[in-house]
Amino acid sequence: MKYLSPILAFVAFLLLNACAKPTFRLIDKPIIFDEERKQLSLEYLAKRHGIQQQQPYIKPKMIVLHWTAVPTLEATFDIFNPSLLPGRPDLQKASRLNTSVPFLVDRDGTIFRLLPDTTFARHCIGLNYCAIGIENIGNNDLTKAQMKANVQLVRYLKRHYKGIEYLIGHYEYKDFIGTPIWKETDPNYLTGKIDPGKSFMRKVRSRVKDLHLKGSPGLGGE
Ligand SMILES: [Zn+2]
């Protein structure tokens, strides 16, 4: 009898652990955000989006999910880290600001924050001025842990930024052309995107249904 209560306590401990929600692991791993990146961000906002601002921050209305097509976190970090865009002449014509996102999700679901949540980042033509980007390490092979981390991150962002109304996959961005949300001064500046895949978006959306986030206009607002 005297062993019963420690055993019960242990069983309760196991049960609690089994029921606990997965840990939300967010690690700050900042990329360079120097004066040059700040000025290039303000220039991008003015030239591409037609928005004059003094500070490179956004009022988020949307979350855009991506995959990196680069297999490791380290390689991806090195790509986003410099302020200036390396190579990619098609993108350089539009701006020399390097691409980046505030959030990078590793294969095991660990979330790295590269920039403060609402810092302006170049990741989605026409929508950067209002969109928070989440990049997932990988290709069309994103993991279940990444899917769960995206769900948690979307919930975290919606909790902190009430103005967020939309959740889209990068491949859906062109559906906003012609709507008031689309802001890009050159109608020919467009790139083809398939990330992060329809099945990944379906899975994430089905798990955050209760947040009532809208999709692209092509989805009929679902
Ligand atoms: Zn993308």
Side-chain angles (χ1 to χ4, degrees):
M1 200 56 192
K2 70 174 178 182
Y3 297 112
L4 196 58
S5 75
I7 290 170
L8 280 176
F10 184 62
V11 169
F13 170 79
L14 288 181
L15 277 173
L16 274 173
N17 266 305
C19 300
K21 286 186 177 150
T23 316
F24 180 60
R25 279 172 298 163
L26 182 57
I27 298 169
D28 282 309
K29 188 175 166 62
I31 54 169
I32 294 167
F33 202 92
D34 54 5
E35 190 58 28
E36 185 174 43
R37 200 168 202 139
K38 180 185 167 183
Q39 289 310 324
L40 287 168
S41 298
L42 293 174
E43 192 187 290
Y44 191 108
L45 274 159
K47 207 173 139 194
R48 306 249 57 90
H49 294 312
I51 298 171
Q52 302 287 341
Q53 279 185 202
Q54 301 307 313
Q55 296 300 327
Y57 296 105
I58 67 166
K59 283 199 189 97
K61 277 189 202 151
M62 183 182 297
I63 299 167
V64 182
L65 306 188
H66 304 260
W67 69 41
T68 56
V70 173
T72 67
L73 184 104
E74 291 74 15
T76 306
F77 184 87
D78 290 347
I79 291 169
F80 289 153
N81 194 32
S83 300
L84 282 176
L85 191 69
R88 304 186 71 174
D90 54 328
L91 298 190
Q92 265 194 16
K93 265 192 285 170
S95 164
R96 290 173 66 228
L97 173 66
N98 195 7
T99 53
S100 69
V101 279
F103 298 103
L104 194 50
V105 182
D106 205 356
R107 308 282 297 165
D108 68 355
T110 306
I111 303 163
F112 291 89
R113 179 158 46 192
L114 308 185
L115 293 167
D117 303 356
T118 59
T119 307
F120 180 82
R122 181 183 189 182
H123 61 96
C124 188
I125 293 170
L127 303 170
N128 294 307
Y129 77 95
C130 71
I132 294 182
I134 302 174
E135 285 275 4
N136 291 278
I137 301 295
N139 218 303
N140 59 357
D141 60 349
L142 299 184
T143 66
K144 200 169 178 183
Q146 284 175 305
M147 188 269 295
K148 286 182 179 171
N150 278 247
V151 168
Q152 290 177 304
L153 194 45
V154 167
R155 290 189 177 283
Y156 157 86
L157 290 170
K158 177 64 184 167
R159 230 180 10 255
H160 285 78
Y161 308 102
K162 305 286 180 223
I164 294 176
E165 289 173 51
Y166 296 90
L167 170 66
I168 69 163
H170 197 184
Y171 66 88
E172 296 168 312
Y173 84 106
K174 289 186 202 169
D175 293 348
F176 287 89
I177 296 174
T179 73
I181 292 177
W182 182 260
K183 292 192 195 296
E184 167 51 50
T185 50
D186 178 0
N188 297 316
Y189 177 46
L190 294 167
T191 52
K193 294 291 173 187
I194 57 164
D195 64 312
K198 288 188 176 174
S199 110
F200 188 77
M201 283 311 296
R202 254 198 309 273
K203 286 176 197 157
V204 173
R205 281 193 169 116
S206 75
R207 285 163 176 82
V208 296
K209 254 193 185 141
D210 55 299
L211 300 181
H212 306 292
L213 294 169
K214 291 178 269 188
S216 73
L219 289 172
E222 284 302 312

